[in-house]
Amino acid sequence: MGFDVYERQSLIRLRLRLVRIGDAPPFSASDRQRLEGLIPLMDNALTLYSAYTHNRFIEQLYEELLGSMDIACIIMNARLEVLSANRQASEILAARDGVLLRHNVLACAESADQQKLEEQCRNVLDAVQGEQGPPAARTLTVQRTGLDAKWNVQVRSVEKKNVTFGEGGPELVLLLRGPVRDCVPSQARLMDLFGVTPAEAKLVAHLVDGQTLTAAAKALGISRNTARGQLASVFTKTGVNRQNQLVRLVSGAVAAHWD
């Protein structure tokens, strides 16, 4: 005795079988009736599980995509409390590079930027509550710490189709991006754009971040001669012959990618 439950969207099938062994009496009509009562419950459970796994897959896919594009992503509630952050965002927050955490609440280092951030977040939330067309989005710039550069920031509402979160649930998504010199490109992006090796990509990332060859070699735990050899190989692959030319080339290529 048993039943199958099938979820069409995910193609997941749940099978339940009950058997009696030995001299046990056969299943009665009341046994079958009780088992039938489980079917709608199992059907609902399978639907919820399918929706959860699908949403987790999409969430991980977007996180990997944003990471490969060097976009920092922060998910917040209406009080600007940070619920999650991808690797790029976590590094920026830890470095307190223009944005930081104060008791797990997102804040800007500059008071003027803080006012802009709070205002734009309120605008996004008001637009959603006013049903002015989901998802709402606003943009602003945030001054980076110790640099003559700014983050380009976009605040978006969390699209919640047929989903209701309790108080403190996700309401806002904040995306940060900047010029390559200000936001170091990922190793995968450098390998894809210029055909460099993983080791060469790590070196280029440090150079684009403004480090000298000696400082980059020390940070990577390699000798300066090894770093010079890797840099020479990068020059050959990119067609430049000076470090400042390489930085400009990488900056221009990744900036074009952002646009």
Side-chain angles (χ1 to χ4, degrees):
M1 183 173 67
F3 60 80
D4 289 4
V5 177
Y6 181 68
E7 210 286 316
R8 293 184 178 181
Q9 182 176 2
S10 64
L11 304 181
I12 298 176
R13 183 185 299 274
L14 174 65
R15 306 185 69 185
L16 178 64
R17 297 291 183 270
L18 301 177
V19 297
R20 285 183 169 173
I21 302 174
D23 297 332
F27 291 107
S28 65
S30 61
D31 291 332
R32 294 180 182 276
Q33 187 175 9
R34 283 194 291 269
L35 184 62
E36 289 175 357
L38 290 177
I39 294 177
L41 299 177
M42 299 303 291
D43 186 51
N44 289 338
L46 186 58
T47 300
L48 290 173
Y49 175 77
S50 172
Y52 171 77
T53 54
H54 176 74
N55 289 340
R56 283 294 299 154
F57 171 76
I58 296 299
E59 180 182 332
Q60 292 170 2
L61 180 64
Y62 276 120
E63 184 171 340
E64 291 176 5
L65 177 61
L66 290 172
S68 69
M69 297 171 64
D70 302 309
I71 297 179
C73 176
I74 300 172
I75 298 177
M76 307 175 293
N77 61 21
R79 297 187 293 269
L80 305 193
E81 294 172 336
V82 173
L83 304 179
S84 67
N86 68 352
R87 179 181 60 82
Q88 285 82 354
S90 297
E91 292 175 355
I92 293 170
L93 292 171
R96 303 172 71 88
D97 189 1
V99 291
L100 58 138
L101 290 179
R102 293 194 179 112
H103 305 293
N104 201 44
V105 175
L106 185 70
C108 295
E110 300 289 337
S111 59
D113 291 337
Q114 180 69 23
Q115 293 177 359
K116 290 191 297 182
L117 175 65
E118 292 176 355
E119 179 182 0
Q120 296 294 44
C121 288
R122 282 196 302 269
N123 289 338
V124 169
L125 293 172
D126 290 343
V128 173
Q129 293 173 0
E131 298 182 355
Q132 298 176 17
R138 297 292 188 275
T139 59
L140 65 147
T141 58
V142 172
Q143 179 64 48
R144 296 192 59 184
T145 302
L147 293 173
D148 185 19
K150 295 183 178 181
W151 293 116
N152 294 314
V153 179
Q154 183 180 81
V155 181
R156 300 177 60 86
S157 60
V158 173
E159 190 168 3
K160 297 176 286 187
K161 291 184 177 179
N162 302 320
V163 177
T164 301
F165 295 105
E167 183 179 356
E171 297 284 351
L172 298 166
V173 178
L174 185 139
L175 304 175
L176 295 94
R177 64 187 179 120
V180 174
R181 189 173 183 84
D182 303 327
C183 185
V184 179
S186 67
Q187 177 181 324
R189 174 56 51 188
L190 291 170
M191 293 170 62
D192 181 53
L193 288 174
F194 303 106
V196 295
T197 67
E200 292 166 352
K202 291 179 182 178
L203 176 64
V204 171
H206 281 276
L207 297 178
V208 169
D209 198 31
Q211 295 186 12
T212 65
L213 185 63
T214 301
K218 183 177 180 180
L220 293 170
I222 59 177
S223 69
R224 192 174 190 279
N225 285 338
T226 299
R228 289 181 63 183
Q230 292 177 353
L231 183 59
S233 176
V234 172
F235 284 165
T236 300
K237 294 175 180 179
T238 57
V240 300
N241 52 26
R242 297 182 66 86
Q243 186 172 319
N244 60 349
Q245 293 174 342
L246 176 65
V247 171
R248 285 198 299 269
L249 175 67
V250 174
S251 299
V254 180
H257 168 71
W258 285 121
D259 296 338

